[in-house]
Amino acid sequence: MTRSAEITRKTGETDVSLTLGLDGSGAGTRSTGVGFLDHMLDLLARHGRLGLKVEAKGDLETGAHHTVEDVGIVFGQALDEALGNRAGIRRYGSALVPMDEARASCAIDISGRPFTAFEADLPPGSTGGFEHELTEEFFRALANAAKLTLHLRVEAGSNAHHMIEAAFKAFARALRVAVSIDPEESGVPSTKGTLSE
């Protein structure tokens, strides 16, 4: 079974191409024009054990918002497609990740019901062209497109880089568990019989 997808999204604001494999090693290249986002996508691929290639061009002269949000949308669409009918997956995943003084927790349900609860008291400002408030925009766009229930919380921290990095790593680790194959589950892990409709 090949659990992969390739999605392209082109609008008047961005042009995003993304290839995702759920059973990877972190390989692939990430080039969005937003240096800090590329770094976070590298972490997401490595800690999520994903094959991930991202090429994005956006209207960065207006800021990184459109690029970050659209990369989140396309990642979510690819995740939705790569999961197929969700048969055999663990469905739930959670992780708690420290990053120096920062700490983040994440819980995921591949539920078919988009919901995001994001809690983080991030310092104002930007890092590497990435406004800190875009962290929430990225994860909300991803969860909506992938139809995930996502609870992501930055529990501690004072350095924005560390706090955002902990959030991405916690998400990656939780996703890694949720999409993994459960050898004791042969069908769709739901009493409804579906997680994709």
Side-chain angles (χ1 to χ4, degrees), residues 31-39 60 63-64 67-68 127-131 134:
S31 178
T32 67
V34 183
F36 189 72
L37 178 59
D38 292 347
H39 178 39
L60 296 179
T67 298
V68 172
T127 302
F130 182 97
E131 294 91 351
L134 295 180

Side-chain angles (χ1 to χ4, degrees), residues 28-194:
T29 57
R30 278 64 69 170
S31 178
T32 67
V34 183
F36 189 72
L37 178 59
D38 292 347
H39 178 39
M40 294 302 103
L41 293 172
D42 288 344
L43 297 173
L44 179 50
R46 178 64 183 87
H47 290 277
R49 300 291 293 172
L50 306 171
L52 180 62
K53 181 179 180 181
V54 183
E55 295 288 336
K57 294 179 182 175
D59 56 351
L60 296 179
E61 67 277 4
T62 68
H65 187 284
H66 297 146
T67 298
V68 172
E69 184 176 36
D70 284 8
V71 168
I73 290 170
V74 174
F75 186 101
Q77 291 172 335
L79 180 57
D80 181 47
E81 184 176 312
L83 283 166
N85 69 357
R86 280 68 167 158
I89 64 168
R90 293 190 188 278
R91 177 178 169 176
Y92 299 99
S94 62
L96 177 66
V97 171
M99 173 70 189
D100 296 346
E101 90 296 346
R103 183 179 68 251
S105 63
C106 182
I108 292 172
D109 176 9
I110 301 175
S111 62
R113 299 182 305 278
F115 177 82
T116 303
F118 181 85
E119 299 176 61
D121 188 14
L122 296 172
S126 65
T127 302
F130 182 97
E131 294 91 351
H132 301 157
E133 64 195 29
L134 295 180
T135 308
E136 180 174 1
E137 297 301 324
F138 175 83
F139 285 113
R140 190 173 302 283
L142 190 164
N144 284 345
K147 300 188 283 287
L148 304 179
T149 296
L150 171 63
H151 289 255
L152 183 55
R153 183 180 182 195
V154 179
E155 302 178 346
S158 56
N159 179 297
H161 186 141
H162 295 166
M163 295 165 78
I164 296 168
E165 184 166 330
F168 270 83
K169 286 178 175 176
F171 174 80
R173 288 280 170 166
L175 183 67
R176 179 174 170 176
V177 175
V179 304
S180 66
I181 299 299
D182 183 347
E184 298 179 356
E185 177 62 73
S186 58
V188 175
S190 171
T191 54
K192 292 184 299 189
T194 181

